[in-house]
Amino acid sequence: MAGTVVTIFPRTGLAGDMLVAGLSAAGGLDAGELGGVLSHAGGLLGSCTVAVVDGGVVDGAPARRLDITLETGLPGLGGDRARVLMEQLVTDLGLDGPRAGLARRGLEALLIAEAAAHGAVADPHLHEAQDILIDLAGAAWCLQRLGIDAVRCGAPVPVGGGTVRCSHGLLDVPAPATAVLLATHGIPWAAGPVRTELLTPTGAALLAALTPEWVPIDELDPATMDGWGLGTKALAGRPNGVGIRLG
């Protein structure tokens, strides 16, 4: 599939696990093999289970969901340690130059955003976003397997609204780190259409790293997607998923 272009349709925003699930569904990648990759990445964080779940069919295309469970009570993942683990994953997964660069850029983007959002510190810690290692490793592995050379993404990206509770308390959506990523990397976004978080910091960090060509989201047809990545959050009256089109 060398030279393939991927189009991301963030119908209900984007989270890292949704992107990985959608890429794998669209490309028909082996779920067991992907599960092994993700479980290896998660194992570096401590006790973690990852399952690639069949999500049925959405708008005529196959859908998948990732179920990621991290051990509760894990300490925040420091930036220096995260970088070491990422380099280990680059080696363990055999990521090539472009995909290794993607993984590194995504991690750095999030670390810089966390530091800016919550007070500049020498070694910012990731709390809820610890699973960015799983998401980045999974996305890079899928893109390499699919031979993706270029990325397009619908814009503006819906970010949701209301508030989200995290280790820093109850925060407005977009969360502070997400807001920094949106502004710093020029990601076009729009509030709504529901009052819940739709674009996560990990999802925003992946968009920052991917540097996609932005296309009008209204011009993307759900019926032309090759696969869908489903989120774990239920949204009233609408499927929670990101569409992926190859070619």
Side-chain angles (χ1 to χ4, degrees), residues 15-212:
D17 60 321
M18 293 165 66
L19 179 60
V20 176
L23 288 169
S24 73
L29 299 178
D30 183 85
E33 189 176 7
L34 174 60
V37 167
L38 301 176
S39 294
H40 176 68
L44 299 182
L45 298 172
S47 178
C48 174
T49 60
V50 183
V52 181
V53 181
D54 183 352
V57 175
V58 174
D59 288 314
R64 286 178 175 173
R65 184 184 76 249
L66 300 186
D67 283 346
I68 301 173
T69 304
L70 283 173
E71 176 186 351
T72 58
L74 288 176
L77 178 64
D80 292 340
R81 178 62 176 159
R83 294 183 184 98
V84 170
L85 295 180
M86 181 57 73
E87 291 307 313
Q88 182 177 338
L89 283 170
V90 165
T91 299
D92 292 349
L93 301 182
L95 298 180
D96 61 17
R99 263 54 71 156
L102 165 70
R104 294 178 182 125
R105 289 195 306 274
L107 178 60
E108 287 302 320
L110 183 57
L111 290 172
I112 291 170
E114 287 285 354
H118 302 296
V121 292
D123 185 27
H125 277 57
L126 305 175
H127 295 278
E128 292 80 12
Q130 287 187 55
D131 59 359
I132 190 172
L133 293 182
I134 302 172
D135 296 337
L136 283 171
W141 184 85
C142 288
L143 290 168
Q144 183 165 305
R145 281 301 180 95
L146 296 172
I148 301 299
D149 284 343
V151 180
R152 303 166 75 237
C153 184
V157 180
V159 303
T163 57
V164 59
R165 184 171 296 281
C166 65
S167 60
H168 296 281
L170 192 64
L171 304 175
D172 289 334
V173 171
T178 302
V180 171
L181 287 161
L182 292 171
T184 303
H185 296 277
I187 299 171
W189 63 280
V194 294
R195 291 184 59 78
T196 189
E197 183 182 49
L198 295 181
L199 179 64
T200 67
T202 299
L206 276 162
L207 289 177
L210 288 166
T211 60

